[in-house]
Amino acid sequence: MACSTLKLNSLSITNNSFSSRRGSPSLSTTRRVSLPIRASSYTDELITTAKTIASPGRGILAIDESNATAGKRLASIGLDNTETNRQAYRQLLLTTPGLGEYISGAIFFEETLYQSTTDGKKFVDCLREENIVPGIKVDKGLVPLPGSNNESWCQGLDGLASRSAEYYKQGARFAKWRTVVSIPCGPSALAVKEAAWGLARYAAISQDNGLVPIVEPEILLDGDHPIERTLEVAEKVWSEVFFYLAENNVVFEGILLKPSMVTPGAEHKQKASPETIANNTLTMLRRRVPPAVPGIMFLSGGQSEVEATLNLNAMNQSPNPWHVSFSYARALQNTVLKTWQGRPENVEAAQKSLLIRAKANSLAQLGRYSAEGESEEAQKGMFVKGYTY
Amino acid sequence: MSNFKGKYHDELIANAAYIGTPGKGILAADESTGTIGKRLASINVENVETNRRALRELLFTTPGALQYISGVILFEETLYQSTAAGKPFVDVLKEAGVLPGIKVDKGTVELAGTDGETTTQGLDGLGARCAKYYEAGARFAKWRAVLKIGPNEPSELSIHENAYGLARYAVICQENGLVPIVEPEILVDGPHDIHKCAAITERVLAACYKALNDHHVLLEGTLLKPNMVTPGSDSPKVTPEVVAEHTVRALQRTVPAAVPAVVFLSGGQSEEQASVNLNAINQVKGKKPWTLSFSFGRALQQSTLKAWSGKEENVKKAQAAFLTRAKANSEATLGTYKGDSQLGEGASESLHVKDYKY
C-alpha cells in the first residue's frame, strides 16, 4: 500500500483558536482549516507566464549549465573556463537577432542571470526585448541517495524561498529543477518517491515566489532496456509526481513539464523510429498528465540535434491537449559551439547556426519539420554514458 | 508501473470508447431491491418482482429512446429478467446498440473512528461474480464509493480507503472483461460553498488516479462517474455556467486524457437542473479531451415514474416522459440543449434527500 499518501495532509492545519462550535465528541478537538492555500498573489501571473512560454512555434533554450559543465563545453573547443569566456558565449547566444521568433524562454545559471553584454546591457533585458521569458536553475545538483541502489537525489530546498524571491526581483519568471531516475539502478521505490516529493516541494515554493516551476524528472537514457520498460518507469514516475504536486496544492495551470521522451535505453540493440518514440511518449502523456498543464517541453538528453527535432516533430503530427515543445541545451548548442570556436569573427555564423536549429525545432513544434538539408554535424549523437551535469 | 495487459485489453478500450459516444450517455437503472422499493412506494406501487420488471421494461422498450443511451446499469436481478413476452433484457438492449452494465458493489459500511464516513464493500469473490456477469452479457460495471464534506471530512483515511477500494474493484473488473465505472461520489449535503467542493473534488480525484495507477489499471478501459462541482445543498445556488467552469477545471487538473469519458452522476439535482448543468459543462471553452456525458438514475426516471404510477394505461405517457429526458440529456452532451423540453410533472423537482443512502 502506498503509505506515503498518509504522510502529509496539506488540508489540515492545526488551529489553536477553538471556536465555540462543537464537532463530534469522539474526535480530537483540533479544528482543521479545510480550504487549501493555493499559490498566493502570483497565480494569475504564473498562468500568463506559463502560457507565454507555451506559445505555438516556440520552445526553451536551456543555457543553465553550471560553471563546471560550462567548462566542459568550452574545453571541447579549446577555451579556458573563465567568467569572461562564459559571458562571451552566453552573449553570443542571447544577442542572436530574431531569436524570439522561435524561443519563448531561456534558462540561466545563477551567474548568468546577473551578467550583461560587453556593452553593459543586462542579459534579462536582451531577452525581454525579444519576448523571451528569463528562467533560472534553482537546484543545487545531485548527490548520492543513502539507502538506495547507487542512485541520486536532488538538493536545493534550503533557503529556496528567499533565493526564488531574489531571482524574481532580478527578472526571472520561471525556475528549473532537474532530478534524475536511473533504470539500470531499479529504479528503487525510494529514489522515485524522493524525486517526486522534491519536485513537488520545489514547485510549491517556486509558485509562492512568482516563478513558474519547470518540473523535470529526467529518466536517464543509460541502459540496455527496451522501450516498454521505459514506458513503465515513466508512468510510475509521473504518477508519483502528479500526486505529490496535488498534495502540495501546486496550481497546474502555472507549471511546465520537462520530461524525457520515451525511448529505448542507449545501449539497447534496436533503435526506435521517431513514430514509435512519439507513440510511446504520447501514450505516457495521455495516461499521466492532466490537461490543465499548459506546456510540455521535452529534454533532449543526449540525442543528436536532428534526432531530437525529428522526434518532436513526430509527436506533433496530431492534436493533443498540451503544447508539446522543446527545452534543449546540447541539441540547440552543439553546432553553435563548434562554429564559434571562441573566435569573434565566427560570432555571426554561430548565431546563424543557432537560428537554424531553433527554427527547425519551431517547425517541429508545429509538426511541419523535414530533415532534408541537415548537416552531418547536426546528426551526430551526443550520448555520454553516465553523464553528469 | 504500466497497466497490466489482460486478454480483454482491446475489448475494454472499444467498449469504454463506445459508451463515450457523443450524443449518448448512461441510464442508471441499478437501484437495489430496497431502493427501488422506495421509488415504487412514492407512486403507491407494491415492491414485487413483477412491478420491478414492468418498470424496467417500460424504460428499455421506449420507442426512440435507446438511440440516446450507450449503456444501462442494471441491478443483478434485472440482468436475468425478460420482457413480459419473454425476451431477455440483455437482448433488448444489445439489439438497440446499448451495452448492459452491472452494479457489483455490496453497499457501504461505516469506517470506525470516523464521523459517519464509509467504505464500500464487495471485493470478496468479485472476480468470479464479474466473470459470471460477463457470461450473462454485461460489459461494464459500477461501484459507488461515497465521501462527504464536513468540518473534518473527508479524512485522509476515507479518501485513501475509498480510492484504493475503487482501484482494486477496477482491476478485477478489467481482468474479467468489464469496463469499470469509477465512481467517487462526494455528497452534496452541507453548507459549504462551491470552492470547497472544487478543492475536495480535486483532492479526491487525484487520490483516485494515483490508486488506479498503482494498481496497473488500464485507464483507456475505464470511465469516471464523478459529482459535478456545486455549492453544498444548504448553500446559495449558483448559475450553471459557474458549476460548469468549476467542474471542467477540476477535471482538467486531475483526469488524464487517456480516460475516454466522464459520465456525471446527478446526485439529487432535478431532471432539468442536471440537463442544464451538463449542457453548460459541454459549452465551456478549453481543454476537454474526454467526452462529458451523463450516468443518471433519478434525473432520468423521476417524471417517468410519476407519469406511470404503476398503471398499464399510463405506459405510453410514461415512455414519452422518458424519451423527453433522454433526448434532453443527449443534446446536453453536445452543448445544444435549449431547455425547452416539455417539463413533465416533477422535472424541476429537486431530488435531493439528505445523507442519501442507496
Side-chain angles (χ1 to χ4, degrees), chain A residues 253-271:
Chain A
E253 292 87 349
I255 68 174
L256 295 164
L257 306 187
K258 182 161 170 171
S260 27
M261 297 185 196
V262 178
T263 69
E267 284 120 358
H268 186 66
K269 44 186 166 18
Q270 268 174 307
K271 272 207 146 296

Side-chain angles (χ1 to χ4, degrees), chain A residues 5-6 8-9 247, chain B residues 154-161 203:
Chain A
T5 55
L6 298 171
L8 280 148
N9 178 4
E247 290 223 295
Chain B
S155 62
E156 252 324 276
L157 168 64
S158 154
I159 294 176
H160 183 96
E161 172 61 26
R203 192 69 192 283

